[in-house]
Amino acid sequence: MHVASLTARARGTTLGLCLAVFPFCAAQADALLDEAASLMQRGASVEAFQLLDAQEAQRAGDPVFDAAMGHAARAAGQYTRAVLAWERVVAADPDNQTAQLELGRALFAVGDPRAARALSGLVREQGVPVDAALDVDQFLVSYDRPDHGGVSSLKGYVELAVGHDSNANAGPATAELVSPLPATPAWTLAPAALATSADFGSALLALRGRYVMDARWSLVGTASASTRHHSREARAFESEQFDGNAGVSWRAERHEILVSAVGASYVLDGERLRSIAGLQGEWIYRLDGFRQWSGFVQVLELNYPAQPVRDVRRSVVGGSYAQVFRNGALAYGMVYAGRESPDAVGVAHFGHRLAGWRVGGQYPLTNRLGVFVALDGERRHYGAVDPFFAVQRRDRQISLALGLSWVPAPGWRITPQVMQVRNDSSLPITQYERTVYSVTLRREF
């Protein structure tokens, strides 16, 4: 990812950083700074910080000492102290971009990305890790963070993708399926029900906004529309999807709580297959600019216009954790559980209990190129025996995605990816495998 520059350029000895900030500080480097530099070279950042901390009251205001203190404090995870030290350096030399850069990194680390974004554009381009927060948010958070200065914001992106799906309709691979019932003949499927391989192209437009009412309260919302078209053999599985959320956010210190209304519509082969409406709540706790916990609850009504007997209420709760590491790597994990309860009486086989998890991460290869992996799993236990197949359905689904994320220019992202999905089911017609290859071009605005 492009966050690879977060700390790579900040590595090195404390004395080396001082020289970058003040080229003529070599003559001022005393035994204390030499010892701190030696400790940093050996990876003893905590000891280096403690050494300098004991002298801060006497030497604060000396730009050479403050630069060493800021670097050691950040390396030791003492981000607030790093902010104070780098603020003194910037106050002594307001035009020093290296000092501004380090101050921006420290501000972001204490959870103040708005102040980090207030720095000059040149400094932000050199590596202030504002994009680290966006990477966390794109996996785990529904809405954009408050923008610089607490002002309202409207952002969005467009994605175009092409690829190949080995099983566009999620069908079984063979026409002859072994019956799960003892002493019964095999099931024979119609050709249209079998796995259908096809090329595809897709497009997505997404917007997200935040209207800031005061320091704590905001109105938030997202909207997206997507379409996917297949080659001729899978035209019946072409789809469109529309999603929207609108709600209110309350923020205090490191906590943010969001409550919103949710709506969605899914169209298959020109006919509305499913609509969704409901409420969701999120709680986000940001330990600092690099780590966050979150929890969520959803209560959604899923309606099937052509088959109202399948209408269900979906209730899910879950939690997640994400962290951006000092080298720009990102890791995250999520667990959730819930159930789908049929609205109609006597159709318990349409409902199920579910539990799932997700883990993943990204690792920077260069400043503009990263590799990512995501692994998802879910179990579903249906409520009753299916009256047609005389089997109680149980599913265990797992998916693995691998890909690259390349940022050729600011605001542009190219993502080649391969995804493998496998669903093991006690009902043979819902057991399938699929492999999807794709390349996505994304433009943010």
Side-chain angles (χ1 to χ4, degrees), residues 64-76:
V64 179
F65 175 85
D66 288 337
M69 181 66 176
H71 184 46
R74 182 172 181 273

Side-chain angles (χ1 to χ4, degrees), residues 154-168:
L154 178 63
K155 302 177 182 179
Y157 61 90
V158 175
E159 285 187 351
L160 300 175
V162 294
H164 180 80
D165 191 335
S166 69
N167 191 352

